[in-house]
Amino acid sequence: MKALVTGAAGFIGSALSERLLADGHDVVGVDNLTEYYAAALKRDNLARLRSERFELVEADLNDLDLPALLSDIEVVFHQAGQPGVRGSWGAGFAPYVARNIVATQALLEAARSAPRLTRLVAASSSSVYGDAESYPTHETDRPQPVSPYGVTKLAAENLTTLYGRNFGVPTTSLRYFTVYGPRQRPDMAFTRFSRAAARGDTIRVFGNGEQVRDFTFIDDIVEANMLAATVQHDAGSVFNIAGGSQVSVNEVLETLAEIAGREVRVERMGAAAGDVSRTSGSTARVEEALGWTAKTALESGLRAQYEWVAGALSSLDRAGIDWS
Ligand code: NAD
């Protein structure tokens, strides 16, 4: 297939692009290397994609001629976005609107007349649920985000579903539940925890550590995208993509200490506004429609991530990130 991956320099977009290239597909990657975290880390991600079948378009989706870009594309994997719950309050909100809502609407509009398009898979998020109505949460439960980030992801997802239902654009939204693994974003907990554990530093934890997450390994996320691109299903579908390893942050820290082979020191911080106490997704719908289930257990996925972080300490340190 000829695929367009938006956000190809990011954590999920680069892993997905790598898989597409390994499977023999042609990939056009779009990314403008936003300032949210160090461009050096994104350039490291891009370095893994060097291939004559990979073309990088270094530009903002909001500035591009999207109909021209989509003219020969068969599958769009829309992973570009402004992630992060904590930065989405206050003055930080504007890029969330531009990168999550406005860019998605422009892409969907261009997709309406893309001549070869068979599927547009978009990255949604478990954050659309907020403090969910029930656990495990089903796609039919009422979304009620508790962060501005979640509000923008829900708006983008609603647009994606609308273009599927109203115009027959073959869209699919995948609601990812906390994604982890090698090359995870530096602002995310497992990268921060692994780095501190590898260096023997104190780990700072928001809240009491009893918050429970349904963690999902990156390879399982990539596989869900591949199935969404190739298995027939309705336009406008929405699926939970949840790893099934529901553990508390404190349990993660215990597992990490075993992997690192040393005790980890923890400093407790106040709970962060917009963080939910629990996520847990039912995957019955995606299992039925696409045949997807998560395959990676937390212990082996966390070990893979720890090993990557331990081997990438110097590039993480050169990336100009405030680790405090
Ligand atoms: P990331 O920040 O590593 O990757 C996103 C990439 O998109 C970045 O490289 C950024 O430069 C690029 N980008 C942003 N706006 C752009 C624009 N307007 N034009 C071109 N490029 C742009 O984030 P990630 O963790 O890989 O997340 C990818 C997607 O998955 C996001 O949409 C995010 O909301 C969603 N998601 C992630 C998680 C997770 O746990 N990582 C969970 C749920 C949903």
Side-chain angles (χ1 to χ4, degrees):
M1 70 173 91
K2 179 149 189 187
L4 174 75
V5 179
T6 72
F11 166 41
I12 298 171
S14 64
L16 177 59
S17 299
E18 205 174 352
R19 164 77 185 270
L20 285 162
L21 293 169
D23 286 1
H25 302 295
D26 294 324
V27 179
V28 178
V30 175
D31 206 300
N32 64 338
L33 311 186
T34 63
E35 71 302 333
Y36 181 62
Y37 64 90
L41 291 178
K42 297 183 187 182
R43 297 230 179 261
D44 286 350
N45 292 341
L46 286 171
R48 305 173 68 94
L49 306 180
R50 267 185 216 122
S51 157
E52 57 190 24
R53 281 181 286 104
F54 180 74
E55 179 195 340
L56 177 69
V57 178
E58 195 174 323
D60 187 326
L61 279 173
N62 287 319
D63 296 336
L64 278 171
D65 179 348
L66 293 174
L69 191 70
L70 264 58
S71 63
D72 62 348
I73 296 295
E74 293 161 70
V75 179
V76 174
F77 296 96
H78 179 39
Q79 312 295 316
Q82 177 56 51
V85 166
R86 290 168 200 143
S88 66
W89 298 97
F93 188 57
Y96 286 80
V97 174
R99 294 173 186 160
N100 293 345
I101 305 177
V102 178
T104 299
Q105 190 272 347
L107 193 61
L108 289 163
E109 198 56 44
R112 283 178 69 179
S113 49
R116 298 184 63 199
L117 190 75
T118 58
R119 188 56 63 180
L120 185 153
V121 188
S124 185
S125 167
S126 61
S127 67
V128 303
Y129 292 121
D131 283 317
E133 285 189 325
S134 64
Y135 300 98
T137 308
H138 293 83
E139 290 86 347
T140 46
D141 287 351
R142 183 170 162 254
Q144 40 193 3
V146 294
S147 67
Y149 164 72
V151 169
T152 60
K153 291 304 284 185
L154 180 57
E157 186 197 283
N158 282 340
L159 285 163
T160 305
T161 307
L162 274 183
Y163 275 74
R165 300 232 173 110
N166 286 0
F167 304 122
V169 179
T171 66
T172 310
S173 293
L174 303 180
R175 290 178 176 167
Y176 303 157
F177 284 64
T178 315
V179 189
Y180 73 101
R183 309 202 299 286
Q184 190 194 45
R185 298 196 323 263
D187 61 309
M188 293 186 72
F190 283 17
T191 295
R192 303 184 83 91
F193 293 174
S194 298
R195 177 181 173 275
R199 292 164 46 101
D201 293 348
T202 299
I203 293 176
R204 300 171 83 200
V205 175
F206 288 101
N208 63 7
E210 287 308 309
Q211 57 273 44
V212 170
R213 290 284 177 279
D214 202 336
F215 296 106
T216 316
F217 190 62
I218 182 67
D219 291 2
D220 289 323
I221 293 285
V222 167
E223 181 64 15
N225 276 275
M226 298 304 286
L227 290 170
T230 49
V231 178
Q232 267 312 318
H233 58 286
D234 292 342
S237 294
V238 176
F239 299 118
N240 288 340
I241 304 297
S245 48
Q246 291 154 53
V247 293
S248 70
V249 169
N250 289 336
E251 287 166 321
V252 168
L253 292 170
E254 279 170 31
T255 308
L256 187 60
E258 281 164 29
I259 291 170
R262 59 159 62 133
E263 259 187 62
V264 294
R265 288 192 309 274
V266 174
E267 183 189 350
R268 307 269 169 201
M269 316 291 292
D275 272 354
V276 294
S277 58
R278 182 174 176 193
T279 67
S280 160
S282 162
T283 52
R285 184 189 274 189
V286 68
E287 204 169 330
E288 165 83 26
L290 303 184
W292 180 90
T293 47
K295 300 223 162 44
T296 313
L298 181 79
E299 209 269 342
S300 65
L302 186 55
R303 187 176 293 280
Q305 176 158 1
Y306 178 80
E307 282 166 6
W308 170 73
V309 169
L313 283 179
S314 55
S315 44
L316 285 168
D317 283 347
R318 275 199 310 273
I321 286 152
D322 175 10
W323 297 102
S324 61

